[in-house]
Amino acid sequence: MKKPKVSFGPTGFPAFAGTMAVERVATGFRWAEGPVYFPAGRYVLFSDIPNNRIMRFSEDDGHLSVYRQPSMNSNGNTIDREGRLITCEHSGRRVTRTELDGSITIIADKYNGKKLNSPNDAVVAADGTIWFCDPAYGIGGYYEGIKADAEQDKKNVYRVDPKSGDIKMVVDDFVEPNGLCFSPDEKKLYICDTGFTDGPDNPSHIRVFDVDLAAGKLSNSKVFAEIPKPSITDGLRCDRDGRLWCSVGWGDPNEDGVRCYTADGDLLGKIHIPETVANLCFGGQQRNRLYICGSSSLYAVYTSAQGAMKP
């Protein structure tokens, strides 16, 4: 069977549209992380963790501003179905929701009566439940949080029922759980394990689980993709066709950037970025612009894919 001809980029890799240009749209950060796109305002919010602030990049005119400072060393951000910001805070050791009037509601700050470690990334399901990971990076020192002892025995992934406030542990066998993302149909949940940061024998990979949303349960864990050590992947997003896009950084500079996998775990291609990439999100009016948080800068590229744009 002949492969179809494509005008740009490798066959089957929908990374590039038009000129294939990766643009640096903003710079001047210490460590850009946790991007989320707000369609109603056409802007991207993202964390600058050590500078203790959330930044706002307006897509219409390229204006950059500070959205919130201090941000409690915020890391991952997402948006719920009502258009509200959900934020994971390192020094707050909590997950918060910014209400439409600007007030802040604490979604989770304890489990079994003990403080969380340092929530890192979150996703919101169609039923409103909030799923987040709780590694220990934000309490390991004073650069991206406040140094403290862990009170949780393990680094877990949790699910919060926003109506009752009930917090349930859904996975407890990660070394350091990190970025997470639902498949477009929400039947699968992808979660990074960046445990390699704690020791060379620990994992640097993405796991995938079957999801039972109604029961709030995960099952059938398997490794979806291995990331070549010493690099790790930190942030994940799916496009509408079920491909998984992930960040790569902190290891081989030749691997810095973004990887795209099929839903079966086959590597389709890479976008090279000249800095370590921590996270990414789709945005734009057609959901086809990939925003990439690369350490000191925010990058963007128009793709031939459309983001699933579900939190």
Side-chain angles (χ1 to χ4, degrees), residues 182-249:
F182 282 112
S183 60
D185 61 7
E186 297 189 341
K187 290 182 176 172
K188 296 198 180 299
L189 181 65
Y190 301 94
I191 310 175
C192 303
D193 193 334
T194 51
F196 177 72
T197 59
D198 296 7
D201 298 328
N202 290 330
S204 174
H205 60 210
I206 302 166
R207 285 166 63 183
V208 61
F209 299 81
D210 292 333
V211 180
D212 183 341
L213 265 192
K217 288 186 177 169
L218 302 179
S219 60
N220 299 331
S221 165
K222 62 176 190 273
V223 173
F224 174 79
E226 290 284 355
I227 303 299
K229 295 175 179 178
S231 296
I232 57 172
T233 178
D234 188 332
L236 307 167
R237 289 293 188 278
C238 276
D239 65 26
R240 290 179 70 181
D241 298 314
R243 290 174 290 251
L244 185 72
W245 302 69
C246 71
S247 68
V248 182

Side-chain angles (χ1 to χ4, degrees), residues 21-29 32-33 35 44 46 57 59 64 256-258 271-283 289-303:
V22 176
E23 305 165 77
R24 186 194 230 177
V25 295
T27 192
F29 319 112
E33 246 281 22
V44 181
F46 59 96
F57 174 77
E59 190 175 65
L64 180 74
D256 283 353
V258 175
I271 302 171
H272 291 290
I273 301 292
E275 297 186 74
T276 272
V277 173
N279 217 323
L280 49 106
C281 74
F282 283 96
R289 198 176 195 195
L290 190 65
Y291 285 99
I292 301 164
C293 281
S295 300
S296 72
S297 307
L298 179 68
Y299 297 87
V301 59
Y302 281 101
T303 72

Side-chain angles (χ1 to χ4, degrees), residues 106-125:
I106 297 171
I107 299 296
D109 61 355
K110 289 185 178 69
Y111 177 66
N112 282 347
K114 296 177 180 177
K115 280 185 184 179
L116 297 172
N117 297 317
S118 53
N120 187 292
D121 207 357
V123 281
V124 182

Side-chain angles (χ1 to χ4, degrees), residues 3-225:
K3 285 189 174 178
K5 286 186 179 175
V6 288
S7 54
F8 296 107
T11 307
F13 180 34
F16 301 107
T19 60
M20 295 178 66
V22 176
E23 305 165 77
R24 186 194 230 177
V25 295
T27 192
F29 319 112
R30 282 214 167 84
W31 179 12
E33 246 281 22
V36 57
Y37 183 75
F38 281 77
R42 291 192 61 200
Y43 57 83
V44 181
L45 295 182
F46 59 96
S47 299
D48 183 0
I49 303 177
N51 283 327
N52 199 12
R53 59 186 183 169
I54 297 175
M55 304 302 297
R56 180 179 188 259
F57 174 77
S58 295
E59 190 175 65
D60 51 3
D61 64 356
H63 180 70
L64 180 74
S65 56
V66 175
Y67 173 80
R68 176 180 297 160
Q69 189 173 30
S71 65
M72 308 294 276
N73 299 102
S74 67
N75 188 338
N77 297 287
T78 192
I79 183 173
D80 71 7
R81 295 305 198 274
E82 284 75 51
R84 297 172 297 190
L85 172 67
I86 307 289
T87 300
C88 294
E89 300 175 356
H90 279 183
S91 56
R93 297 173 74 167
R94 63 187 190 175
V95 180
T96 62
R97 181 176 65 225
T98 302
E99 306 297 347
L100 298 177
D101 66 0
S103 60
I104 293 175
T105 300
I106 297 171
I107 299 296
D109 61 355
K110 289 185 178 69
Y111 177 66
N112 282 347
K114 296 177 180 177
K115 280 185 184 179
L116 297 172
N117 297 317
S118 53
N120 187 292
D121 207 357
V123 281
V124 182
D127 63 0
T129 53
I130 298 162
W131 304 61
F132 70 94
C133 64
D134 188 38
Y137 295 121
I139 55 173
Y142 293 102
Y143 186 64
E144 54 173 305
I146 295 172
K147 189 174 173 68
D149 294 328
E151 295 184 21
Q152 300 295 332
D153 295 331
K154 294 184 175 181
K155 290 124 180 195
N156 300 325
V157 179
Y158 299 96
R159 169 192 175 273
V160 185
D161 182 322
K163 295 182 184 74
S164 67
D166 182 54
I167 301 172
K168 190 167 106 180
M169 183 272 294
V170 289
V171 196
D172 71 348
D173 64 346
F174 277 79
V175 181
E176 294 281 6
N178 214 309
L180 60 175
C181 168
F182 282 112
S183 60
D185 61 7
E186 297 189 341
K187 290 182 176 172
K188 296 198 180 299
L189 181 65
Y190 301 94
I191 310 175
C192 303
D193 193 334
T194 51
F196 177 72
T197 59
D198 296 7
D201 298 328
N202 290 330
S204 174
H205 60 210
I206 302 166
R207 285 166 63 183
V208 61
F209 299 81
D210 292 333
V211 180
D212 183 341
L213 265 192
K217 288 186 177 169
L218 302 179
S219 60
N220 299 331
S221 165
K222 62 176 190 273
V223 173
F224 174 79

